[in-house]
Amino acid sequence: MPHRDRGAGRDVHHRLAFAAIMVPAQTLLQRETPHDMIGRVSSTNISVAFCAQILRAGAVGLSAPDHLGVRMVFFFCAGAGGLAMAAGGRAFLHQQR
């Protein structure tokens, strides 16, 4: 049972983090998107986010226990997230110039 409690806590944490990212992103998209395209843009945004979650879960499930170990998968995910944030920040900064 203790594993179930920790898993539930992580699940809540991941959902809160997802909400903290998606709510401002959705607000920005609605503000910047022309009115006649909001449905298409919003559904594409949500579809991409869910697809990324499914791919992440599949990649971790396939590679963690057999090949890399759980610790290395977490390090890889942290590094990939850091690279994604750096690339996004760089693109954002170059766009404003």
Side-chain angles (χ1 to χ4, degrees):
M1 289 294 190
H3 297 296
R4 184 183 304 173
D5 295 338
R6 280 188 269 166
R10 287 186 192 124
D11 186 50
V12 169
H13 179 262
H14 288 156
R15 289 177 190 269
L16 289 174
F18 181 74
I21 293 169
M22 289 306 293
V23 170
Q26 191 67 21
T27 303
L28 180 64
L29 281 173
Q30 288 178 357
R31 193 178 299 162
E32 299 293 328
T33 303
H35 183 69
D36 58 337
M37 293 184 64
I38 283 184
R40 292 178 186 165
V41 172
S42 296
S43 66
T44 302
N45 181 35
I46 297 298
S47 295
V48 168
F50 286 141
C51 183
Q53 287 181 335
I54 290 168
L55 290 175
R56 176 189 58 108
V60 169
L62 291 175
S63 62
D66 299 333
H67 304 293
L68 300 175
V70 174
R71 180 178 285 186
M72 288 306 296
V73 170
F74 284 130
F75 286 144
F76 174 76
C77 289
L83 287 174
M85 286 190 302
R90 182 180 171 106
F92 180 74
L93 290 175
H94 283 298
Q95 180 184 16
Q96 289 193 356
R97 288 185 188 173

